[in-house]
Amino acid sequence: VLAANDNLGNAAVAVAKKNGQGGKVAITGQDATTQGLQNILDGSQCMTVYKPVKQEADAAAKLAVALLKGQKGETSATVNDPTGKRDVPSVLLTPIGIFKDNVKQVTDDGFVKPAELCKGAYAAKCKTAGIQ
């Protein structure tokens, strides 16, 4: 199941568990939510896509400052707008696939707090993943 986000992925996880298929069906998500990360830690979701907010904010701020100064701003690519029939200068950042072995990156970045992620049954799984 290639879900558009972790909330939809979590719905697929719930259905898989209900049907005795928890951890046996490949389920993915996006947004690195607390629940999505917990699903990854317990093996019921394969991965999530993480886009570090700090990188997005830094890129947006640089563009905004350039525009305020009357400059074009530095872009890294173009994206085709089929409606406007034009290529739009863009800043494209590289999303990060988060799997069981790198969940810690999301907490290290401060996007999800370990205290929220590592509640109850997830405490031991967080410890195994190196999250304190």
Side-chain angles (χ1 to χ4, degrees):
V1 177
L2 179 59
N5 58 51
D6 285 341
N7 291 335
L8 291 173
N10 191 53
V13 165
V15 170
K17 286 180 178 178
K18 179 182 174 189
N19 291 309
Q21 296 296 308
K24 297 177 184 176
V25 176
I27 300 171
T28 68
Q30 180 172 252
D31 300 330
T33 65
T34 299
Q35 183 64 62
L37 297 173
Q38 289 172 335
N39 289 341
I40 290 168
L41 289 171
D42 76 13
S44 57
Q45 182 172 321
C46 298
M47 60 86 65
T48 187
V49 176
Y50 172 53
K51 293 171 260 178
V53 174
K54 183 174 179 349
Q55 286 180 4
E56 292 177 336
D58 287 348
K62 285 179 186 176
L63 286 172
V65 168
L67 291 173
L68 286 171
K69 292 180 177 180
Q71 302 167 348
K72 271 190 151 188
E74 191 174 322
T75 60
S76 59
T78 58
V79 175
N80 185 266
D81 172 9
T83 303
K85 296 182 172 77
R86 64 188 182 110
D87 288 333
V88 179
S90 305
V91 175
L92 301 180
L93 303 173
T94 304
I96 302 165
I98 299 296
F99 302 86
K100 196 178 278 192
D101 65 350
N102 67 339
V103 168
K104 187 176 186 304
Q105 180 173 356
V106 181
T107 59
D108 286 350
D109 284 356
F111 187 70
V112 171
K113 292 179 177 27
E116 295 170 4
L117 178 63
C118 302
K119 290 180 180 176
Y122 298 99
K125 295 174 190 326
C126 281
K127 190 172 183 177
T128 301
I131 303 166
Q132 302 298 328

